[in-house]
Amino acid sequence: MYHLVVFASGNGSTLQAIIDSIKTQKLEAKIDLVISDNPNSYALKRAEDCHIPTHIIQNKKFEPRDLELSQLLSNYSIDLIVLAGYLKMIGPKLLEKYTIINTHPSLLPKYGGKGMHGMHVHEAVVEAQEKFTGATVHFVNHEYDKGSIISQTQVEVLPSDTAKIVSEKVQAAEKIQLIEVLNQFIHGKI
Ligand code: GAR
């Protein structure tokens, strides 16, 4: 079995897409743990509803958080860590030990970096009158949204699209892309 750990900070719809794909056997994997820095993250509720263990990060500072997570994860046998709307920086202890991927709601390197997440990205895309945006899956390194790109999916932005409409289009495409990428990892193609 292919063992995943998923990190999430917010609504958790990306986590839900992974859970649903496992349930419907589109992914041969198991989520061993869901981790959040946000006690109010709806991702935690989604995990608990499916009897997936959860962990709320205790340490707010970078180095103690990295230590906390590396100690916690040493109890698991992990194939891949997936950042699914997780907004904190990953520290060196995790980076050196695990393969970690992130899904980001833009065509990186556009609209990436600190502060560029969720609706902020889509608002900036609409503001700039982009004709296209999309989603990127990339390896995680020590800089926000700078790791090497694994996959990108493009979606069209119409002049009448609001940021909310753009976010819905991107999130739909993003989930399909992430599940495809996870399947590639599971089948040893990445
Ligand atoms: C997703 O669109 C994800 O790409 C984005 O947050 C959303 C999470 O939604 N991540 C980032 O912006 C990271 N820079 P969710 O909480 O419903 O899964």
Side-chain angles (χ1 to χ4, degrees):
M1 187 52 77
Y2 197 88
H3 293 269
L4 302 172
V5 170
V6 179
F7 284 52
S9 299
N11 175 29
S13 70
T14 313
L15 167 69
Q16 191 68 54
I18 302 172
I19 291 173
D20 292 347
S21 298
I22 292 173
K23 274 194 188 151
T24 55
Q25 295 173 352
K26 290 186 186 118
L27 269 187
E28 276 179 64
K30 182 170 182 282
I31 303 173
D32 288 345
L33 183 64
V34 169
I35 295 176
S36 185
D37 57 310
N38 171 12
N40 300 317
S41 168
Y42 194 61
L44 293 168
K45 165 89 171 64
R46 295 178 192 269
E48 282 156 14
D49 285 350
C50 298
H51 311 289
I52 299 169
T54 58
H55 175 84
I56 299 167
I57 299 171
Q58 299 301 314
N59 286 288
K60 300 222 177 307
K61 291 203 173 125
F62 181 70
E63 278 176 20
R65 186 170 65 227
D66 191 29
L67 183 62
E68 173 186 335
L69 291 171
S70 73
Q71 284 173 346
L72 170 73
L73 294 179
S74 66
N75 298 311
Y76 292 81
S77 170
I78 301 166
D79 292 301
L80 186 67
I81 293 177
V82 183
L83 307 188
Y86 177 70
L87 301 181
K88 293 277 190 295
M89 185 76 97
I90 296 291
K93 288 186 191 300
L94 296 196
L95 287 175
E96 77 184 17
K97 196 158 171 213
Y98 301 104
T99 305
I100 310 175
I101 63 169
N102 178 46
T103 177
H104 183 83
S106 75
L107 295 172
L108 291 174
K110 284 184 141 187
Y111 305 102
K114 194 163 168 53
M116 268 296 166
H117 56 83
M119 282 306 285
H120 298 293
V121 173
H122 308 302
E123 280 159 7
V125 164
V126 168
E127 174 77 15
Q129 301 181 342
E130 295 281 1
K131 293 198 164 40
F132 295 94
T133 184
T136 303
V137 181
H138 64 93
F139 287 103
V140 172
N141 68 9
H142 61 285
E143 284 181 285
Y144 278 117
D145 305 324
K146 289 277 177 66
S148 51
I149 290 173
I150 299 167
S151 176
Q152 291 192 304
T153 304
Q154 190 169 285
V155 303
E156 196 178 356
V157 183
L158 301 177
S160 57
D161 282 353
T162 59
K164 186 166 181 295
I165 290 172
V166 172
S167 102
E168 286 164 4
K169 285 184 186 177
V170 169
Q171 285 217 0
E174 173 174 46
K175 290 178 172 84
I176 294 168
Q177 170 173 252
L178 179 62
I179 301 305
E180 280 172 7
V181 167
L182 290 176
N183 259 320
Q184 289 174 13
F185 271 99
I186 291 166
H187 294 108
K189 294 183 183 152
I190 298 176

